[in-house]
Amino acid sequence: MHMSVFLGHSACRRRIQRRLWLCVRKVSRPIRGHSDNVKRYEAALFVTRGCTDGPRSRALLFRESQGTLSRMSSDMSLRQDVDNEGSVVDPLSGLPSPCPRDPLLSPDSHMDVQGYKWVRWRVWLFRVATLLSLGLLLIVFHWRPRLAVLARCRSCPLALADVLLLRDSFGQQHVVEVLTEELEAGSLELLGQLEEADWRDTVQLHREEKTLLRYYLYEGLRYVWLDRKGAFCRVSVLNEDWTCKDLYGFQKGLSPREQTLRRCMFGANLIDVPVKSYMRLLFEEVLNPFYMFQVFSITLWSIDGYYLYALCIFIISVISIGISLYETRKQSITLRNMAQLITNVTIRRDSGEEECVNSEELVPGDSLIIPQEGLLLPCDAALLAGECLVNESMLTGESVPVLKTPLPAGDRTYSSETERRHTLFCGTHIIQAKGGRSGGSGAVAVVTSTGFFTAKGNLVSSILYPQRINFRFYQDAMKFLLILGGIAVIGTIYIFVTLFRTNVTWLQLIIRSLDVVTIAVPPALPAAITTGTIYAQSRLKKRGIFCISPPRINVCGKVSVFCFDKTGTLTEEGLDVWGVMESGPAGFTELVPDPKLLPPGYMRSALACCHTVTLLQGEPLGDPLELKMVESTGWTLQEPEGDGDVMHSTFGGHNVLAVMGPPTQRPESQGTSSSEAVAIIKRFPFSSALQRMSVVTVAPRGRSALAFLKGSPEMVAGLCRPDTVPAEFSSTLRNFSSEGLRVLALACKPVDINSDLMNIERGEVEKEMQFLGLLMMKNLVKPESAEVINILTLAHIRSVMVTGDNILTAVNVAKSCGMVGSDEKVIFVIATPHTVESMPSLRFSVEDGGPTAAQSPRDLINQGLNQAGFSYHLAINGKSFAALCDHFPEYLPKVLMKATVFARMAPDQKTQLVKELQKLNYRVGMCGDGANDCGALRAADVGVSLSEAEASVASPFTSKTENISCVSLLIREGRCSLVTSFSLFRYMALYSLIQFFSVLVLNTVKTTLADMQFLFCDLFLVTLLAIVMGRGGPSEELYPCRPPASLLSLPVFGSLFIHTCMIVLGQLGAFFITTSQGWYIPLNSTVFGTENLPNMENTCVFALSGYQYIIMAVVVTKGFPHKKPLFYNVIFLCLLLIHFALMTSLVLYPGPFFRRIFKLFNFTDINFKMLLVAVAALNFLVCFVAELLIDLGILNCLRLLRGRRPSKKEYKRLKALLSDSASWPPLDQTLSPTGNTVISFS
């Protein structure tokens, strides 16, 4: 292909192609007379030239010439300056380029990347060592991948690496291999259009080179090597600076050759969920430390003669592995079927032809043709022409379809987050498309992201690779296992020393010593503590609450503050029109309760036209607020049919999106003539960040054009000419908002009919408007809201409202639902940013009226609200919140402690608020509808989306209940699950200690437990009790105290220590009572172990330990206040009674059969047997009373010895600080920035 073809491309195409070329590594063929280093040298060095228009106008030149072999050596020395982290010295500036720790370049913001290169002799040495170790070395390297890399590779610059070692923010290490892919010849011409002179200089050298792409894959994402940056970057960095104007440059389509090259760069458009074979799953499962420990234990038991026990554990392990493999593979296949979306789509080529291709072949930059009937979108795309009605419930949980409009052209950088109303997301269902092509059907979009870089890819990635939860309970569980391991080491040493003094063989000595380890460290402990979570998840599912992250159920039990969206969450989704007030020369007119009674004019037209309502099969569809607004006017909506030529010609040849027709009949009270139909030809949809939407309309025959604007009153008034805004605007808005009404403002302005209306920019439309008036809508609070808020308040869980509505409306709703009490005061936080005229300021203003009206403001200022005996809440809007964060960070924690209402908050500000609360050590919950709250729902510790979808990317929890009653249920289930997990953890630990001390006592006298005794205790007693222990449901009420989350706390350690002492004393008591009997016969000291069975010592210790398993199950099972009482768990209670009856029969009347099976000694003294039962009863009584006293806080007296310490949670320390402060908040004072940014708690 001739160069002239490519010289015809647009400037944006050339710039993007040059950027693509950055990721290509040029590998020279061997050149005679030079070293291997020169042969491997990467000849492609790119530098920056002439930045005249910022980063998007950089021209990257290929720095080579015909006689550069000598310079290659000097450049090679520069290459050796690349450190292990990937910083490379720029040959021109001498400054290091960004290393992979740069958040924009790394796999994530906390990822550390190190490069390594294979060393041949180390690889061969590793293979030999693997053979000599019989494969054990492979197991060690499987657990510790970093050791495998260090053993076979040497550290090297990232530019030369064959293997990369990645370390994430949690310290987990991952090894990935650097892959290479050869690009086709001539790629240079496609990727970067060099100036002609530079191209001639390098053409000869290019013929001697191969073009290689170096990249690696991590969690489904592709990272390519960018030589100029000296780092591996996400391939999405190649299109991250596309502007909206650039995207319109792609509307004509890509050439087949360019698309092929882009496919090599970006990979296939496929969300590929790996489905591993059964053999690989088996290999990975068996290498799990749990199963390796099981293999070790089974081998040890087999050598020791415990064949039956070893066989049972082996069978159970095989069944467990089989079930695990089946479920894992089944889930992988289900997820792959959900993730994979392969279909045929139509794209436009640069030649103008349209071609049907497989969706796997799509690449960023493809021009996608969307048919009128819609489709399930296989990629992310920016809509350029036409309108699309999209169901996004899979992403946001919002069931109402959203109308997408064309992306406004401009030089601003495109972002799918800021341009959500113009972006079609992968996995969403386009219901219909119209107005984008000739004939009025279909739409045109440009692909922006593919594969795992899409919105759906993000959802699948979050399921495949969930983020670790920073929850203390899970961290302490692993630490506790190490403590049990330390106890096992002590027991091993004791057994070794004890048996070493006897005449046992070395084999018996080693086996007995190692056997203690298999008893003291229960490998099933981590799995057992998930039982409570599984039961809780099942109960939640029955109540319509779905969870995609089960570990977060336990986190629900520790939530200390819950944030709520307002509209659709605390209040009803639907709104009713309450009235309209028009603006006139003398101010606002009288309130008109019904918009149908308005005279013809701009206000009535604005109410009828300023919306995004569309028709689907003849039925209007859109935002509930807009549907009510349009319905209240009585106007009818029509859309073009077929090619729409008739309708277009009726309105002056403009491309009509919809026509709003006035009602055919008007009330007799109105003598004025009816209005004309109005055609909507351009829509700028509502944006939460902008707080407004607008439309451009034309009159019949195209006589005139009008733009209408609708949005928040403050925003609309700011965009209008001051002379058109009534003087009483602020007071009128305050009055309506204080009554809890949803207030919207409308405006309009004439537009030049001869201008290019189809391509007019939003900024041109939304300025110098004429203020028309206010629309008031009544938004009722849901009846469940006040009840749930009251429950949370009584449980000492803060409730916070985060809304995009007016601050006075939000305060009214907060009072209606009980967030703000009738006797509590609201203080408005007013912060202003730095401007040309003024410095930043902060002011706290008390609301008018209320409980302090009888007191003068000066008294409040002098005494302070706390000292005056008044409780108060802070309210702040989005602008003040931004100014507070930027200019008054030292006051931010104090404001967050008392702020209850956050109004006019943009979606990103909601997310920021959640993170700021987490910095104060709050466990934050968030409940919203999933539409504008996605970021906050994902950032929160517990995110609940009110949606009809069973799962969405919006949050870990999705509730089908359309009110916040699910919140209290979720917290109750979380507390129940956390308490159950604690109980199971303590029970499994005590079970191990009971058996541990039984074996120590018996081994001391040269005997042990029988095979069937082990089986009976482990499988019948412990396993059955552990399985059903978590079946008890949550308490019906929420109590102020939250369950503990630390396993290493004083109550837990104190409880385990006391119970362990009772266990030891009970078993020793039974042992010494037996040996003190007159009929006691000592053991045969010439044999050891099971050969001494049956004997008196074994039988008495087994009897008491059997009771202790049952006793501890009762003692550690918690009921009040977070779980239902024990008798509600009927299965558990029945099992306890069966176990107790069976153990009592084995002690009192075992019978010949059970004596033979369990190898029990036949005690004939019934008084002695009753004494054993009495010892067990005493053991139960002491442990039960001790546990009861611990629950009542008796161990807290030990804390008095160390003195009172401040809380580890920052919000508790800050709360104590503010409660003693007479000067907070500083009422009616204007504060200036102090320069301090940190609050010190001393």
Side-chain angles (χ1 to χ4, degrees):
M1 188 174 290
H2 298 290
M3 281 297 293
S4 60
V5 174
F6 301 100
L7 289 171
H9 284 282
S10 65
C12 74
R13 180 74 54 83
R14 294 197 301 269
R15 183 166 67 250
I16 294 163
Q17 289 169 337
R18 290 193 188 104
R19 190 174 181 87
L20 283 171
W21 181 239
L22 287 175
C23 64
V24 178
R25 176 187 180 187
K26 306 295 291 182
V27 183
S28 300
R29 291 182 177 178
I31 303 175
R32 188 179 302 173
H34 294 279
S35 66
D36 291 340
N37 287 335
V38 175
K39 295 175 185 177
R40 292 195 304 267
Y41 174 60
E42 302 170 30
L45 280 177
F46 296 92
V47 295
T48 303
R49 184 192 71 175
C51 300
T52 57
D53 290 331
R56 281 193 288 275
S57 63
R58 293 175 185 166
L60 301 174
L61 293 180
F62 196 64
R63 303 283 296 180
E64 290 181 330
S65 64
Q66 291 176 332
T68 54
L69 293 180
S70 60
R71 188 165 46 168
M72 288 172 65
S73 299
S74 62
D75 286 345
M76 193 63 199
S77 65
L78 290 174
R79 282 287 174 191
Q80 301 309 317
D81 291 335
V82 183
D83 63 19
N84 293 341
E85 264 61 53
S87 255
V88 60
V89 178
D90 189 359
L92 296 186
S93 65
L95 298 175
S97 66
C99 75
R101 289 192 181 93
D102 188 333
L104 295 176
L105 308 180
S106 303
D108 61 43
S109 57
H110 303 287
M111 187 72 73
D112 179 36
V113 185
Q114 293 181 332
Y116 293 88
K117 200 168 188 63
W118 296 113
V119 179
R120 185 172 299 177
W121 67 267
R122 290 189 182 183
V123 173
W124 280 104
L125 184 63
F126 166 77
R127 292 172 180 172
V128 173
T130 301
L131 290 175
L132 295 178
S133 65
L134 301 178
L136 291 178
L137 197 60
L138 287 176
I139 297 176
V140 174
F141 287 167
H142 176 78
W143 292 340
R144 290 288 181 268
R146 182 172 180 271
L147 297 180
V149 173
L150 296 177
R152 294 178 288 181
C153 306
R154 62 174 175 83
S155 180
C156 74
L158 290 180
L160 306 174
D162 299 322
V163 176
L164 299 177
L165 184 64
L166 313 179
R167 184 182 329 201
D168 60 23
S169 57
F170 297 100
Q172 290 187 331
Q173 294 177 329
H174 312 270
V175 177
V176 295
E177 186 177 354
V178 177
L179 307 173
T180 59
E181 185 173 342
E182 184 174 355
L183 303 181
E184 62 177 292
S187 297
L188 179 63
E189 298 176 4
L190 280 173
L191 286 170
Q193 245 188 296
L194 307 179
E195 294 185 8
E196 191 174 356
D198 295 325
W199 178 77
R200 283 205 198 97
D201 289 340
T202 58
V203 67
Q204 183 65 34
L205 184 59
H206 291 156
R207 293 174 184 168
E208 303 242 348
E209 295 173 343
K210 293 187 297 182
T211 305
L212 291 184
L213 172 70
R214 301 181 69 241
Y215 67 96
Y216 70 87
L217 300 175
Y218 176 71
E219 293 187 350
L221 303 179
R222 176 177 287 217
Y223 296 81
V224 295
W225 172 255
L226 296 187
D227 194 77
R228 178 173 61 90
K229 293 180 179 289
F232 284 95
C233 308
R234 289 188 178 188
V235 71
S236 58
V237 78
L238 301 176
N239 56 12
E240 68 179 4
D241 63 350
W242 282 358
T243 64
C244 299
K245 187 177 180 180
D246 290 338
L247 292 176
Y248 273 94
F250 288 113
Q251 193 170 359
K252 294 182 180 179
L254 302 175
S255 67
R257 193 176 182 192
E258 189 173 1
Q259 192 197 44
T260 301
L261 178 59
R262 287 174 180 271
R263 198 176 308 126
C264 292
M265 293 291 178
F266 291 94
N269 177 33
L270 190 65
I271 304 175
D272 189 19
V273 176
V275 178
K276 301 175 183 177
S277 65
Y278 278 113
M279 285 303 298
R280 182 172 178 182
L281 286 173
L282 178 63
F283 178 77
E284 292 178 354
E285 190 78 11
V286 170
L287 290 184
N288 185 293
F290 164 73
Y291 287 112
M292 292 300 296
F293 188 77
Q294 289 288 62
V295 170
F296 165 76
S297 302
I298 290 172
T299 304
L300 191 67
W301 296 328
S302 300
I303 296 174
D304 198 24
Y306 287 97
Y307 300 115
L308 183 58
Y309 185 76
L311 179 62
C312 289
I313 298 300
F314 174 77
I315 293 173
I316 292 173
S317 298
V318 170
I319 295 173
S320 174
I321 291 176
I323 294 174
S324 177
L325 296 186
Y326 173 76
E327 289 295 331
T328 302
R329 186 172 169 83
K330 179 183 176 182
Q331 291 174 4
S332 297
I333 293 174
T334 302
L335 186 59
R336 183 182 63 178
N337 294 337
M338 184 271 287
Q340 276 192 358
L341 176 57
I342 302 175
T343 184
N344 290 328
V345 295
T346 303
I347 62 172
R348 180 182 292 159
R349 295 295 189 190
D350 60 345
S351 61
E353 296 180 357
E354 295 182 359
E355 180 181 345
C356 183
V357 299
N358 191 289
S359 59
E360 289 186 67
E361 300 178 14
L362 290 176
V363 296
D366 266 329
S367 181
L368 182 65
I369 306 299
I370 301 172
Q372 182 177 3
E373 63 274 13
L375 78 162
L376 199 59
L377 200 66
C379 61
D380 284 359
L383 185 61
L384 302 185
E387 292 183 337
C388 293
L389 191 63
V390 187
N391 182 354
E392 293 187 334
S393 60
M394 189 275 294
L395 290 180
T396 66
E398 180 62 55
S399 58
V400 178
V402 181
L403 182 67
K404 303 284 185 172
T405 58
L407 178 74
D411 291 329
R412 67 186 183 281
T413 302
Y414 169 80
S415 169
S416 61
E417 287 300 317
T418 57
E419 308 290 351
R420 291 186 66 87
R421 282 288 187 171
H422 315 292
T423 302
L424 307 172
F425 294 103
C426 177
T428 59
H429 182 212
I430 300 177
I431 301 172
Q432 71 175 13
K434 59 184 179 180
R437 308 185 66 201
S438 58
S441 64
V444 180
V446 166
V447 178
T448 56
S449 299
T450 57
F452 274 97
F453 290 99
T454 63
K456 184 177 181 180
N458 184 27
L459 167 62
V460 176
S461 182
S462 66
I463 298 173
L464 279 176
Y465 314 103
Q467 291 186 352
R468 291 182 59 183
I469 299 175
N470 185 22
F471 193 47
R472 192 169 181 180
F473 175 75
Y474 299 120
Q475 299 168 356
D476 290 352
M478 296 301 105
K479 295 177 183 178
F480 204 87
L481 277 177
L482 294 178
I483 295 175
L484 291 178
I487 295 175
V489 171
I490 296 173
T492 300
I493 296 173
Y494 170 78
I495 292 296
F496 185 87
V497 172
T498 301
L499 297 184
F500 185 77
R501 297 175 180 175
T502 62
N503 296 325
V504 299
T505 64
W506 275 100
L507 179 62
Q508 288 180 317
L509 182 62
I510 295 173
I511 290 175
R512 291 272 69 77
S513 300
L514 293 178
D515 187 44
V516 174
V517 178
T518 66
I519 294 171
V521 183
L525 184 58
I529 60 178
T530 63
T531 305
T533 304
I534 294 172
Y535 282 125
Q537 186 178 10
S538 176
R539 289 193 296 265
L540 287 172
K541 188 174 182 179
K542 292 178 182 178
R543 301 288 293 272
I545 301 176
F546 301 91
C547 175
I548 62 172
S549 179
R552 288 189 184 269
I553 294 177
N554 279 345
V555 182
C556 294
K558 294 296 291 182
V559 168
S560 47
V561 59
F562 226 102
C563 303
F564 296 93
D565 181 33
K566 183 181 76 69
T567 307
T569 304
L570 293 172
T571 61
E572 299 287 354
E573 185 69 43
L575 299 122
D576 293 320
V577 174
W578 191 80
V580 180
M581 288 187 72
E582 279 194 277
S583 172
F588 285 109
T589 62
E590 290 295 326
L591 179 71
V592 179
D594 187 356
K596 292 187 180 73
L597 302 178
L598 286 172
Y602 290 154
M603 186 64 178
R604 200 158 67 116
S605 298
L607 291 172
C609 299
C610 199
H611 58 79
T612 56
V613 175
T614 186
L615 293 178
L616 180 63
Q617 297 177 354
E619 293 295 325
L621 200 64
D623 184 87
L625 181 150
E626 294 183 335
L627 288 172
K628 283 285 185 181
M629 183 182 72
V630 174
E631 180 186 346
S632 70
T633 64
W635 287 46
T636 55
L637 172 65
Q638 291 180 312
E639 291 184 345
E641 296 181 359
D643 56 11
D645 290 342
V646 176
M647 191 172 286
H648 299 334
S649 60
T650 304
F651 291 91
H654 293 282
N655 186 23
V656 176
L657 300 176
V659 174
M660 298 303 301
T664 55
Q665 295 182 350
R666 295 199 34 85
E668 294 180 359
S669 60
Q670 297 289 340
T672 56
S673 60
S674 62
S675 302
E676 290 184 306
V678 179
I680 302 172
I681 63 170
K682 184 76 174 180
R683 286 188 178 111
F684 298 101
F686 176 78
S687 166
S688 298
L690 299 178
Q691 301 177 11
R692 62 185 184 269
M693 66 89 58
S694 58
V695 297
V696 178
T697 65
V698 295
R701 296 181 298 280
R703 296 193 315 271
S704 61
L706 279 175
F708 293 105
L709 176 70
K710 175 176 98 270
S712 69
E714 304 93 334
M715 181 61 68
V716 172
L719 296 173
C720 292
R721 300 194 309 273
D723 58 296
T724 66
V725 181
E728 65 272 22
F729 167 79
S730 297
S731 59
T732 304
L733 174 62
R734 187 182 305 111
N735 291 335
F736 286 130
S737 298
S738 298
E739 295 177 16
L741 297 173
R742 178 81 177 270
V743 185
L744 298 174
L746 295 103
C748 76
K749 82 170 184 180
V751 182
D752 184 4
I753 191 65
N754 297 317
S755 61
D756 186 4
L757 297 181
M758 293 305 301
N759 296 316
I760 191 170
E761 294 188 2
R762 187 168 193 162
E764 287 295 317
V765 173
E766 298 173 348
K767 68 177 184 180
E768 298 180 358
M769 308 286 287
Q770 175 188 344
F771 190 84
L772 294 178
L774 300 175
L775 168 68
M776 281 68 70
M777 307 191 81
K778 188 68 175 176
N779 194 200
L780 299 175
V781 176
K782 293 179 181 179
E784 299 85 2
S785 297
E787 180 183 352
V788 174
I789 297 299
N790 182 55
I791 290 173
L792 297 182
T793 303
L794 294 177
H796 294 179
I797 298 175
R798 276 185 64 193
S799 299
V800 173
M801 183 192 301
V802 191
T803 178
D805 209 341
N806 180 276
I807 191 168
L808 295 176
T809 304
V811 168
N812 181 276
V813 173
K815 292 179 177 179
S816 299
C817 66
M819 284 187 182
V820 177
S822 58
D823 58 339
E824 294 178 318
K825 201 66 180 167
V826 175
I827 300 175
F828 295 98
V829 183
I830 305 167
T832 58
H834 177 77
T835 62
V836 178
E837 295 85 7
S838 62
M839 293 292 292
S841 64
L842 177 63
R843 189 176 179 84
F844 295 84
S845 175
V846 184
E847 70 173 339
D848 297 333
T852 62
Q855 253 183 308
S856 67
R858 179 57 53 188
D859 293 337
L860 287 178
I861 295 172
N862 292 336
Q863 296 181 16
L865 283 175
N866 289 318
Q867 281 66 31
F870 294 108
S871 177
Y872 67 94
H873 297 264
L874 301 181
I876 187 171
N877 62 25
K879 288 184 179 180
S880 295
F881 180 75
L884 184 69
C885 295
D886 293 339
H887 304 290
F888 300 91
E890 69 274 16
Y891 290 106
L892 180 61
K894 293 182 178 182
V895 171
L896 293 179
M897 283 297 302
K898 296 297 291 184
T900 301
V901 176
F902 294 83
R904 292 289 187 231
M905 296 286 281
D908 58 337
Q909 288 181 316
K910 294 181 180 181
T911 306
Q912 183 183 1
L913 171 63
V914 168
K915 293 181 178 179
E916 292 295 340
L917 288 170
Q918 289 171 332
K919 289 179 183 178
L920 297 178
N921 303 126
Y922 277 113
R923 285 287 176 188
V924 184
M926 176 71 195
C927 182
D929 57 12
N932 297 322
D933 312 314
C934 289
L937 289 169
R938 287 195 295 263
D941 297 291
V942 178
V944 188
S945 173
L946 304 184
S947 167
E948 294 183 1
E950 289 194 5
S952 71
V953 72
S955 62
F957 297 94
T958 305
S959 173
K960 286 191 173 183
T961 308
E962 296 182 353
N963 55 65
I964 64 171
S965 60
C966 60
V967 170
S968 58
L969 173 63
L970 196 57
I971 296 175
R972 287 191 288 113
E973 284 288 2
R975 292 183 176 185
C976 174
S977 174
L978 188 57
V979 168
T980 302
S981 298
F982 259 79
S983 298
L984 279 165
F985 192 95
R986 293 167 60 202
Y987 181 62
M988 295 301 290
L990 289 170
Y991 142 68
S992 296
L993 292 173
I994 291 170
Q995 200 166 85
F996 174 73
F997 287 112
S998 297
V999 171
L1000 287 187
V1001 170
L1002 294 178
N1003 282 356
T1004 303
V1005 293
K1006 289 192 174 184
T1007 187
T1008 187
L1009 292 173
D1011 209 350
M1012 285 300 298
Q1013 290 174 352
F1014 273 120
L1015 271 177
F1016 176 76
C1017 294
D1018 290 352
L1019 300 184
F1020 184 74
L1021 290 182
V1022 176
T1023 303
L1024 290 180
L1025 288 173
I1027 289 175
V1028 301
M1029 188 182 289
R1031 288 184 59 89
S1035 174
E1036 295 296 333
E1037 297 182 26
L1038 269 180
Y1039 288 86
C1041 59
R1042 287 188 294 273
S1046 175
L1047 287 169
L1048 304 182
S1049 61
L1050 179 61
V1052 176
F1053 264 123
S1055 171
L1056 288 175
F1057 176 76
I1058 292 173
H1059 294 327
T1060 302
C1061 292
M1062 293 302 101
I1063 288 168
V1064 175
L1065 290 176
Q1067 293 185 11
L1068 289 178
F1071 178 82
F1072 287 119
I1073 288 174
T1074 304
T1075 57
S1076 64
Q1077 300 299 317
W1079 38 257
Y1080 170 71
I1081 303 174
L1083 274 174
N1084 183 0
S1085 59
T1086 60
V1087 294
F1088 179 82
T1090 55
E1091 297 178 7
N1092 263 327
L1093 296 177
N1095 58 66
M1096 299 180 183
E1097 294 86 348
N1098 165 273
T1099 303
C1100 69
V1101 171
F1102 167 73
L1104 197 74
S1105 65
Y1107 276 119
Q1108 286 176 336
Y1109 294 127
I1110 304 171
I1111 291 168
M1112 292 306 158
V1114 177
V1115 169
V1116 302
T1117 300
K1118 300 292 183 182
F1120 181 84
H1122 304 301
K1123 287 183 66 175
K1124 289 180 179 179
L1126 183 64
F1127 56 80
Y1128 276 91
N1129 192 349
V1130 178
I1131 298 178
F1132 180 61
L1133 190 62
C1134 292
L1135 201 59
L1136 284 174
L1137 295 176
I1138 293 172
H1139 283 177
F1140 177 77
L1142 186 57
M1143 276 306 306
T1144 303
S1145 66
L1146 288 177
V1147 173
L1148 298 180
Y1149 307 104
F1153 175 76
F1154 285 109
R1155 284 203 307 270
R1156 185 175 68 256
I1157 293 295
F1158 291 105
K1159 295 187 177 179
L1160 300 176
F1161 187 85
N1162 185 22
F1163 290 112
T1164 57
D1165 189 348
I1166 189 64
N1167 293 326
F1168 170 75
K1169 295 179 182 181
M1170 294 299 295
L1171 185 59
L1172 285 180
V1173 176
V1175 171
L1178 180 63
N1179 197 338
F1180 169 72
L1181 182 63
V1182 172
C1183 288
F1184 186 82
V1185 172
E1187 186 71 17
L1188 188 63
L1189 293 175
I1190 291 172
D1191 287 341
L1192 294 175
I1194 192 172
L1195 293 181
N1196 291 334
C1197 61
L1198 298 178
R1199 291 191 172 124
L1200 299 176
L1201 300 177
R1202 69 178 187 186
R1204 187 175 180 83
R1205 293 184 181 180
S1207 172
K1208 294 181 181 179
K1209 296 187 182 297
E1210 192 168 342
Y1211 75 88
K1212 290 186 178 180
R1213 289 181 281 150
L1214 189 54
K1215 184 178 181 180
L1217 185 69
L1218 294 181
S1219 63
D1220 298 332
S1221 174
S1223 59
W1224 180 261
L1227 300 177
D1228 294 334
Q1229 301 178 37
T1230 302
L1231 307 177
S1232 300
T1234 61
N1236 299 326
T1237 58
V1238 178
I1239 280 188
S1240 174
F1241 299 95
S1242 57

